[in-house]
Amino acid sequence: MSPSDDIARNLARIQDRIAEAVARANRPAGAVSLVAVSKTHPAAAVEAALAAGQRVFGENRVQEAQTKFPGLRPAWPGLRLHVIGALQTNKARDAVRLADMIESLDRPRLAAALAEAMAKEGRRPDCLIQVNVGEEPQKAGIPPGECDEFLRACREEHGLPICGLMCIPPAEGDPRPHFEWLAERATRHGLPVVSMGMSADFEQAIACGATHVRVGSAIFGARG
């Protein structure tokens, strides 16, 4: 079986699991979008996923995304790219130019850089605030206690198009309290997008209210 066949089969399996998790949670069909995380995999793998019907992709590094996605967009106009990894302020303009959604807005300096980049580029990709729900020192994200004020500043001071929240819970322990906190906070602020859950825990995230789940290795295999 070819790598393209493997990717198509894996995608179908993940989509089935998403649909089953949505049904178990008594949520409407289609309530959850799959973000296929293609980091470290070549453009050919992305194209195989596109051919199998996938349209939303996530990349950690802007530089890597620049080598893949501009060449694919003409043939696949429905393609949407999410930047999901830590974003340096000096890459803000590249991200604004390239992405349809930036999921990793996590600090005031980046908010200012993105606002400036959007003004210069004339593009306004949707943004998610990344919250460090486990308050882990090694992880990016705004602390939970600062989320409300940071959201206000992003909207009112920087005029950013904030549409939701994102998190990566601690690897150890039950992720559900973190997922529940993020979903509740998004609802409190009228934010429609809740990006949480990856290959190991996306079904739990769906049960807690995720609207987007980010799955990579279960689709594309080990990192390229």
Side-chain angles (χ1 to χ4, degrees):
M1 187 173 289
S2 72
S4 294
D5 290 336
D6 288 341
I7 288 170
R9 186 184 67 246
N10 293 342
L11 268 170
R13 185 181 298 123
I14 295 298
Q15 289 285 16
D16 286 347
R17 288 173 60 188
I18 289 172
E20 290 165 4
V22 167
R24 284 195 301 272
N26 294 314
R27 298 176 60 189
V32 176
S33 296
L34 170 62
V35 181
V37 179
S38 49
K39 64 180 183 180
T40 76
H41 295 279
V46 176
E47 195 154 24
L50 285 161
Q54 179 64 22
R55 291 294 179 269
V56 185
F57 295 85
E59 287 282 338
N60 274 41
R61 297 175 67 248
V62 172
Q63 304 95 304
E64 183 181 345
Q66 286 172 316
T67 69
K68 301 178 194 177
F69 288 90
L72 292 170
R73 284 192 187 274
W76 305 95
L79 186 159
R80 286 182 58 81
L81 173 64
H82 292 201
V83 171
I84 62 173
L87 183 59
Q88 297 173 321
T89 54
N90 66 355
K91 294 295 181 183
R93 193 166 182 180
D94 289 337
V96 165
R97 192 180 292 128
L98 187 66
D100 300 291
M101 182 179 286
I102 296 167
E103 296 202 16
S104 46
L105 171 53
D106 64 350
R107 60 198 187 280
R109 284 189 62 228
L110 181 57
L114 287 171
E116 181 180 356
M118 288 182 192
K120 289 178 177 176
E121 290 296 323
R123 288 193 84 235
R124 290 177 59 78
D126 290 333
C127 294
L128 306 185
I129 290 173
Q130 180 174 351
V131 184
N132 185 352
V133 286
E135 300 188 76
E136 298 173 276
Q138 77 278 16
K139 280 186 181 173
I142 202 80
E146 298 176 22
C147 180
D148 293 351
E149 174 57 24
F150 183 57
L151 172 60
R152 184 205 63 76
C154 286
R155 284 173 158 173
E156 297 178 11
E157 296 175 20
H158 300 292
L160 292 173
I162 306 297
C163 67
L165 304 177
M166 183 269 258
C167 78
I168 304 171
E172 303 298 325
D174 185 354
R176 287 174 296 181
H178 301 292
F179 291 155
E180 289 167 353
W181 184 93
L182 199 76
E184 185 280 328
R185 193 56 50 117
T187 298
R188 179 185 301 186
H189 289 287
L191 297 169
V193 178
V194 185
S195 177
M196 58 189 189
M198 298 186 290
S199 291
D201 58 13
F202 69 84
E203 285 147 321
Q204 292 168 292
I206 290 169
C208 296
T211 65
H212 291 65
V213 295
R214 308 179 303 274
V215 179
S217 58
I219 296 169
F220 295 106
R223 292 184 181 182

